[in-house]
Amino acid sequence: MPPLSGSWAEALKGEFKKPYYKKLFQIVGEEYRTRKVFPAPDDLFNAFHFTPLEQVKVVILGQDPYHNDGQAHGLCFSVKPDVEIPPSLANIYQELEDDLGCYIPNNGYLEKWARQGVLLLNTVLTVRAHQANSHRGIGWEEFTDAAIRVLDAQDRPMVFILWGRPAQTKKAMLHNPKHLILEAPHPSPLSAFRGFFGSRPFSQTNAFLEKNNLAPIDWQIENV
């Protein structure tokens, strides 16, 4: 696994010395050597690299990476520009259009959000090809929980967007009254019509940021 760098490496350095992380490092290394695993090793920590700790304004939690070829690149819900938009992201774009009037772009590459302070964090950072949730329970959850605790401890306003039950289990870790927590069903086709559509997370996030004298997020992903 490539090293984490910058402010996140400093904030999480205690994790790297713990037994669970050493075991995780070995398991993931062996998986990369013997199986097809996504994302590519160099993309593994992109969520942290694209959105340094001091720049985080919004946190969107996903579950584990996309498991089909060419999709996952280290940001939850995002795919590379030349990859077909997955159904959950198509529903996110539909809600974004309904909420803020953004046009639906021709690609699913969300780096623009990450560069503005939206941490797009999966709770599990790797997956075997074509096997959803195959790396659940090997140690990633402990690592990303540590990152969530670091975020909660930041003494500044932040928005946590929790879509679906797995993400909502992390609410118990959030205690800072400065933060805004937005919950809704997952945007997947299985649950989007149970309350994801119409939840207006993007306008609520921007209203909160502006109320706290922070620049709103430009949520429009442009066509390529």
Side-chain angles (χ1 to χ4, degrees), residues 3-218:
L4 199 54
S5 61
S7 51
W8 276 112
E10 179 64 25
L12 293 169
K13 64 183 179 185
E15 300 303 303
F16 303 129
K17 303 184 182 88
K18 292 181 179 177
Y20 88 85
Y21 191 85
K22 291 174 181 172
K23 186 178 174 188
L24 171 66
F25 189 90
Q26 290 170 343
I27 292 170
V28 172
E30 182 66 15
E31 286 281 297
Y32 273 119
R33 278 192 299 276
T34 60
R35 307 260 186 171
K36 193 174 191 180
V37 172
F38 301 128
D42 287 348
D43 289 337
L44 186 56
F45 289 129
N46 275 351
F48 299 108
H49 292 153
F50 289 5
T51 316
L53 175 57
E54 67 278 5
Q55 293 177 20
V56 177
K57 297 194 284 192
V58 182
V59 181
I60 297 179
L61 287 180
Q63 287 175 251
D64 67 334
Y66 294 123
H67 55 83
N68 288 329
D69 293 285
Q71 291 181 308
H73 67 100
L75 306 181
C76 74
F77 294 107
S78 180
V79 290
K80 291 183 177 174
D82 55 347
V83 174
E84 185 179 351
I85 296 169
S88 290
L89 182 54
N91 286 339
I92 290 170
Y93 281 164
Q94 183 60 59
E95 177 62 17
L96 188 51
E97 182 184 50
D98 295 344
D99 188 5
L100 290 177
C102 294
Y103 69 81
I104 294 176
N106 63 3
N107 70 96
Y109 192 54
L110 304 182
E111 182 182 348
K112 178 181 174 180
W113 293 0
R115 297 292 186 190
Q116 294 179 82
V118 181
L119 182 70
L120 296 166
L121 182 65
N122 280 314
T123 54
V124 173
L125 299 188
T126 53
V127 69
R128 282 183 187 172
H130 318 303
Q131 294 181 47
N133 281 322
S134 47
H135 283 176
R136 184 170 60 191
I138 66 171
W140 279 127
E141 294 91 342
E142 196 166 341
F143 182 72
T144 54
D145 279 359
I148 292 167
R149 281 193 292 273
V150 166
L151 290 161
D152 185 55
Q154 300 299 297
D155 189 29
R156 54 194 168 88
M158 215 177 276
V159 183
F160 288 83
I161 298 176
L162 308 179
W163 288 329
R165 282 203 195 93
Q168 287 160 15
T169 63
K170 306 301 182 185
K171 185 179 179 179
M173 302 170 61
L174 304 174
H175 308 290
N176 190 329
K178 291 187 176 180
H179 299 332
L180 174 66
I181 300 171
L182 298 176
E183 297 178 84
H186 195 275
S188 84
L190 297 172
S191 54
F193 287 96
R194 296 186 198 141
F196 172 77
F197 288 129
S199 60
R200 304 183 68 92
F202 308 104
S203 59
Q204 288 189 74
T205 292
N206 280 355
F208 176 83
L209 294 174
E210 290 180 307
K211 190 176 85 175
N212 286 282
N213 300 311
L214 295 166
I217 306 299
D218 175 6

